[in-house]
Amino acid sequence: MDAAELALLLTPEGLRLLDSLPPYDSKGDVVRIVSELRATGHSPELVAAVLTQARLRHRAEAKFGPFAARMLFTEAGLEQATRLSVAARHAERYRSASIRRVADLGCGIGADALAMAALDLEVFAVERDESTAAIAAYNLAPWEGVTVQHGSAEDADLGGADAAWLDPARRSERGRLRDPADWSPSLHFAFGLAERMPVGVKLGPGIDRELIPEEAEAQWVSVDREVVELGLWFGPLARPGIRRAALVITAAGATELTGEHDSEDAELGTLGEYLYEPDGAVIRARLIGDLARTIGGRMLSEGIAYVTADTSVDTPFATRFRIIEQLPLDERTLKKALRERGIGRLEIKKRGVDIDPAEFRKRLAPRGDGSATLVLTRVAERRVALLVERAPGIAS
């Protein structure tokens, strides 16, 4: 969003017009609304600005719920913003550590600062991009204990802050920035700050694990089976005795698997009646072995993130499948098996084999009214196809 568009949007006319729009729905609605707004004398620039915000507010409901209806967004800001359910847990870390004033360095549109303010923490928010800083100021205006400053994290005066929160920008106009030295602020700056005060850092879940400082608590977070972030916590924000954690958030609630370090894999064993697919956060945290032991399971093959067991165990940390049949990973054999069972709706999962599931499904050409899941993997280093069905349970 450029400055001219934002200036139009932040006028009383622009905000009233935005709030008067019906919920964003289809392309047909947009065409009709544009015609109606232009007919009442609104400029093309203002109409475009408010419709863009209406669309972003609609998308933002998944992250912010009812709060989205009074917020402003940018495309990039919404994409990188922390979900409110996760931001609330960030904020609780600071409150539990008896921290009163947090410097939010690189605050974006203000998602984490909003959650902190809701817990009565004072927040000094800093944002490098001028338009994004103005949007954050608008979003955070209802909270008296929040101030927003346009500037860089590196130049911010942290004299009054008890702790800091950083969500480095990892994209530019040219796309994703892969070198942590190019992030804003850089990872070096964030880790250096952690040597001076309590710090939390939000990173992408796929970051090179070699970059994680030994003293940090590393918590991978998944929401509805999607791994959304890695949080690194330093000083009193890190929990004693925990260096690896997998936080799994679903509609049923939040549960966590923790460890003092990466867990050792469980022993290899024969294929049982059930297959468990660990949640992505558990895989990223390398706590698969601990999960396997809690359900009496064993590993299928070295380096493969599947667990098998003889019994059906409810766990929030994995999706459970009942194994119908083990088949050779052979296209002709699998075609015949699917045809005999009348399976037309086929989900394909794979680990440890170099196969494109979408292309492989086309070649299998499933037909029929039945449905199943096909898992392509290795059992004791042998390539196999497991015909499975999802077993009902709290994680399925």
Side-chain angles (χ1 to χ4, degrees):
M1 179 184 298
D2 60 31
E5 182 181 0
L6 182 60
L8 276 174
L9 191 62
L10 289 177
T11 62
E13 178 192 6
L15 294 173
R16 281 196 302 269
L17 185 59
L18 174 59
D19 290 339
S20 72
L21 293 180
Y24 186 92
D25 191 5
S26 66
K27 185 176 181 179
D29 285 340
V30 172
V31 172
R32 175 181 54 81
I33 292 170
V34 167
S35 298
E36 292 175 353
L37 295 181
R38 291 298 312 280
T40 57
H42 296 294
S43 70
E45 294 79 12
L46 179 57
V47 170
V50 297
L51 285 176
T52 296
Q53 284 303 310
R55 175 176 55 82
L56 292 174
R57 280 183 172 181
H58 179 71
R59 281 175 47 195
E61 289 174 5
K63 285 189 173 185
F64 294 95
F67 284 91
R70 65 149 306 277
M71 297 175 69
L72 298 179
F73 302 94
T74 65
E75 291 274 1
L78 176 56
E79 180 181 350
Q80 190 166 338
T82 306
R83 290 162 174 79
L84 202 54
S85 60
V86 179
R89 296 177 180 277
H90 297 163
E92 182 58 37
R93 287 255 189 177
Y94 290 90
R95 185 169 72 170
S96 296
S98 300
I99 287 167
R100 294 299 310 154
R101 183 168 171 81
V102 183
D104 184 353
L105 304 178
C107 69
I109 61 171
D112 280 287
L114 187 155
M116 293 174 190
L119 292 184
D120 295 326
L121 300 177
E122 295 181 21
V123 184
F124 168 53
V126 179
E127 171 55 42
R128 181 187 296 271
D129 181 77
E130 186 174 11
S131 294
T132 305
I135 287 175
Y138 176 86
N139 291 338
L140 297 167
W143 286 273
E144 294 183 359
V146 180
T147 58
V148 179
Q149 175 180 303
H150 170 225
S152 69
E154 295 85 349
D155 295 332
D157 181 0
L158 305 181
D162 303 320
W165 166 253
L166 300 95
D167 181 2
R170 299 179 289 279
R171 285 184 177 275
S172 70
E173 295 178 354
R174 299 186 303 276
R176 187 178 297 277
L177 300 170
R178 302 195 178 279
D179 187 346
D182 295 330
W183 297 349
S184 180
S186 70
L187 202 56
H188 175 75
F189 173 81
F191 291 167
L193 193 60
E195 297 175 359
R196 298 162 40 199
M197 62 170 58
V199 163
V201 185
K202 174 185 169 183
L203 299 173
I207 187 175
D208 181 356
R209 292 170 110 259
E210 295 297 322
L211 296 174
I212 300 174
E214 186 176 337
E215 69 274 16
E217 175 191 334
Q219 181 190 58
W220 282 263
V221 182
S222 74
V223 178
D224 296 330
R225 303 298 162 193
E226 177 189 359
V227 188
V228 297
E229 69 170 54
L230 164 62
L232 297 183
W233 303 97
F234 297 84
L237 297 171
R239 293 169 293 181
I242 296 177
R243 287 297 175 266
R244 298 291 180 263
L247 176 63
V248 176
I249 302 174
T250 66
T255 49
E256 191 177 30
L257 187 64
T258 64
E260 293 185 13
H261 40 67
D262 294 357
S263 71
E264 294 184 5
D265 282 347
E267 293 183 357
L268 300 180
T270 57
L271 189 65
E273 185 176 350
Y274 292 92
L275 181 75
Y276 293 82
E277 181 182 35
D279 184 272
V282 175
I283 296 172
R284 294 284 189 183
R286 295 187 183 170
L287 296 175
I288 302 169
D290 286 349
L291 167 63
R293 285 180 280 273
T294 64
I295 61 176
R298 49 198 177 269
M299 311 299 292
L300 283 181
S301 190
E302 187 174 350
I304 301 295
Y306 283 127
V307 175
T308 188
D310 302 313
T311 56
S312 177
V313 180
D314 272 347
T315 173
F317 301 115
T319 301
R320 176 180 50 194
F321 300 90
R322 187 178 72 83
I323 299 173
I324 300 171
E325 187 174 2
Q326 176 179 332
L327 298 161
L329 210 172
D330 171 75
E331 188 174 323
R332 182 176 300 178
T333 302
L334 293 175
K335 273 187 177 181
K336 180 181 178 182
L338 296 176
R339 185 172 60 250
E340 289 174 348
R341 291 169 173 79
I343 294 172
R345 297 184 300 277
L346 182 66
E347 174 189 32
I348 298 181
K349 293 176 171 288
K350 65 105 174 185
R351 285 213 174 104
V353 294
D354 187 16
I355 291 177
D356 181 338
E359 181 60 33
F360 194 62
R361 187 186 185 282
K362 288 180 182 178
R363 298 206 305 270
L364 293 177
R367 298 284 187 274
D369 298 327
S371 62
T373 298
L374 194 62
V375 178
L376 313 178
T377 188
R378 300 198 310 265
V379 174
E381 301 308 316
R382 182 166 48 89
R383 286 161 45 105
V384 301
L386 304 177
L387 192 62
V388 303
E389 63 181 5
R390 290 179 181 269
I394 58 177
S396 298

